[in-house]
Every structure is written in structure tokens, then in C-alpha cells.
Amino acid sequence: MKQSKNSRFSDYASLLFLAGLLLFNSIFTPNFFRLGTLQNSITQLCPTILCGMGMTLVISTGGIDISVGSLMALSGVIMAKCMERIGIFPGILLGIGFSVLIGMFTGIMVGKLKLQAMVITLGLMLGVRGAAQVLCDGRDIYFNTLGERGELLSDFGTLKFFNLIPVQLLPIFISVLLIWILIKKTTLGVQIQAVGDSIKSSNLVGIHTNRVFVFVYGLSGFFAAIAGIMQAAKVSVAAGSSLGQLAELDAIAAVVIGGTPMSGGRARVLGTVLGAMIMQCITLTCVMNNIPDQYAQVVKAMIIVFAVYIQRERS
């Protein structure tokens, strides 16, 4: 009974905490619910939620991917370098393609060769970031120097549907919907969580665990690439050194706060969205009340530790 109560509490803890934050800001933070603030929040949430969707799948298998921030940088730089010569769409496809291949390579290393995901993705985080900097010669690529195509992509990054809804909401909605359907409505979703629960048992019942690892890490690379392209379009610059920096930490934090256990075996898709919203809400609360950012970081760290604590019965 105690375990059941703890499980129910952890299911709703993130939602209750977010509701409390919103109530607090409605009373004590002026202009918190202004349209401009909400629009800015959506654009800032986009990379965290996109990377968080892939990270949810990876962590639900018992793994981790700390290379997503570097993959964001690589995809953005490849797109910027290629679109002037071959067009925007082919450049985007190349950026996505390379990120997916790197993700699949990680899946092979983790699934087939049984290497530690933390070690592999740490190496890729450093190597891919270095490759992105080499491709752009250590300089930021500003889209206003890329002619009409660069301006078109910049306009897309700041587009608002009906002059109201930021374009970043579209990939957020699509990614969350697709991953929710994958986890809740497909056999593959069940297999992904089964692998995180027990690899040996999954192999015994006929699940191709190697393929599952290749799929989830490849999909993580895909979402990281989309996040990098959307972020580069928003700021009108592809920077190999800074694009996607620390994005992996935000994504992991969103997943953990949202209730997906680090030990794997369960994926909380909507929980990841709530986790990302909680972190964004904390940041906004501090910024709009003139509280130094380091305090926001301390609060986020405390929330992550608490989230892991209330998951302890599921480990």
C-alpha cells in the first residue's frame, strides 16, 4: 500500500508542482501571463521538448544520450553550410541524416557491442562538437550572409501563425503526439520499455534488443537534429561552439522530473513535457523577479534530486 501511494504521488507530483508555480506567478509576478511571455516560452521550450522526446525513449531502455546538444550543433552547421549550394530542404535533410546515422551508430555500440551508453555518448559529445566547429572553421555562420535562402529560413524561425502562435509549437505538438502514440499504442513501444525493464528477459521472449537500441538512439539523433535546425532558424545563426550547448542536461532533467525512471522500464511522454515546462517556469520566475540565474539552477537541481527520490520504489 505504501508503494502504491508513492507511485500515485510520483505520477502527479510534476503536475501539482507546475500548478503551484503558475499560481505563485499569477499572484507575485507581474505580466507573467502576457502574450509575449507565453510566445517566448514556447520558442525556448522547443529544443528541450524535442530532445526530451528522444531522451524519454533512450532513458526508458535504461540508457542515456548526452550527445544531443552536439548533434544539434552539427545539424545546424551542416544545414547552413549546404543550403546556399544545394538548397534549404536538401541541406536540412543532410543535417538530419548525419545526426540519425550518428545516433544509430551509438545504438550499435550500446546494443551489439554492450558498451556503456554514458561513455559512448560522452565521446560523441566531444567529437561531434569538434566536428561542427571544424565544418564552420570556428566561426559562426550568420544567415544574413547566406542570401535569399538564409533570409527565408530566418523568417521561418520567427514565423507566427495568425500572428499569434510561434511556429515552434508545430514540431512540439507533432513530436509529442508521435512519441505518445508509439509508447501507448504500438508493440514497439511495449518492446522499448521491456528492454529497459530487463534485457535478458526481452531476448528470451524474442525481442530484437539490438534493433530497439539502434531505433531509439537513431530517433534521439533525429529529434536533436530537428531541434538544432529550429533553434538555428530562430536565432538566425549556426554556431558550432554554442548551438545546443547544455541541451542534453535540460532534456535529461525534463525526463527525470517528468517521472521516467533512470533505471528504465517506463516512459512518461507527457511527464517529459511537464518537466520541461517546470524548468522553463522556474527560469522565467527568476528572470521576471530579478533573481540571479544561479538561484534558478539551484532550484532545478533540488527538483531533480527530489524527482529521483520519489522514484526510488520503482528502481
Side-chain angles (χ1 to χ4, degrees):
M1 180 65 68
K2 183 179 179 181
Q3 181 173 348
S4 177
K5 288 181 179 180
N6 185 76
S7 178
R8 287 198 297 270
F9 175 73
S10 62
D11 282 340
Y12 296 103
S14 56
L15 181 60
L16 292 173
F17 189 79
L18 178 62
L21 278 174
L22 294 176
L23 178 62
F24 173 86
N25 283 289
S26 68
I27 298 172
F28 297 105
T29 306
N31 303 319
F32 185 83
F33 290 100
R34 287 186 61 182
L35 179 60
T37 303
L38 297 177
Q39 290 173 335
N40 187 52
S41 295
I42 291 173
T43 61
Q44 293 179 0
L45 278 170
C46 182
T48 302
I49 291 179
L50 287 177
C51 291
M53 289 299 102
M55 195 70 71
T56 300
L57 297 181
V58 169
I59 290 179
S60 68
T61 64
I64 198 166
D65 186 357
I66 59 174
S67 67
V68 292
S70 297
L71 290 176
M72 284 178 62
L74 181 66
S75 61
V77 169
I78 289 176
M79 175 196 65
K81 291 288 287 186
C82 295
M83 69 177 179
E84 193 175 18
R85 301 174 184 174
I86 62 176
I88 295 177
F89 190 65
I92 290 174
L93 288 180
L94 276 176
I96 293 173
F98 273 99
S99 293
V100 171
L101 286 175
I102 293 171
M104 293 174 69
F105 169 78
T106 303
I108 293 172
M109 294 294 104
V110 174
K112 187 72 174 177
L113 301 183
K114 311 301 180 186
L115 300 178
Q116 290 291 328
M118 174 66 78
V119 177
I120 296 299
T121 56
L122 174 61
L124 286 172
M125 179 183 72
L126 300 174
V128 171
R129 177 72 66 179
Q133 292 176 307
V134 169
L135 283 175
C136 63
D137 299 320
R139 297 191 297 269
D140 297 346
I141 304 175
Y142 292 92
F143 289 180
N144 59 9
T145 65
L146 301 178
E148 185 178 345
R149 289 171 177 169
E151 293 178 3
L152 182 63
L153 195 59
S154 294
D155 291 339
F156 172 76
T158 55
L159 175 68
K160 291 184 177 65
F161 297 116
F162 310 109
N163 202 32
L164 183 67
I165 304 171
V167 68
Q168 285 80 8
L169 187 62
L170 183 61
I172 289 175
F173 176 78
I174 292 174
S175 65
V176 172
L177 178 63
L178 290 178
I179 299 302
W180 184 85
I181 292 173
L182 172 66
I183 291 297
K184 297 293 185 181
K185 304 295 183 180
T186 70
T187 302
L188 179 58
V190 175
Q191 292 177 347
I192 289 171
Q193 295 174 91
V195 169
D197 193 45
S198 174
I199 295 179
K200 290 183 179 180
S201 299
S202 297
N203 282 320
L204 288 174
V205 299
I207 296 174
H208 298 285
T209 56
N210 295 342
R211 297 178 185 177
V212 170
F213 282 118
V214 170
F215 175 78
V216 296
Y217 281 95
L219 198 58
S220 179
F222 172 80
F223 282 121
I226 299 295
I229 290 166
M230 293 298 298
Q231 187 70 3
K234 172 181 172 281
V235 298
S236 299
V237 59
S241 60
S242 60
L243 181 59
Q245 196 168 41
L246 300 182
E248 59 277 349
L249 300 184
D250 289 337
I252 293 169
V255 173
V256 172
I257 292 171
T260 299
M262 291 295 293
S263 57
R266 190 175 186 221
R268 295 284 311 277
V269 178
L270 299 182
T272 298
V273 177
L274 290 175
M277 293 174 67
I278 286 171
M279 292 194 299
Q280 178 63 22
C281 193
I282 292 171
T283 300
L284 274 178
T285 301
C286 292
V287 169
M288 298 185 71
N289 288 282
N290 297 317
I291 300 172
D293 182 64
Q294 53 265 34
Y295 290 99
Q297 302 304 320
V298 171
V299 173
K300 290 178 184 178
M302 292 171 62
I303 293 171
I304 293 169
V305 172
F306 179 69
V308 174
Y309 172 77
I310 64 175
Q311 292 172 11
R312 70 195 185 283
E313 296 291 347
R314 293 178 180 168
S315 303

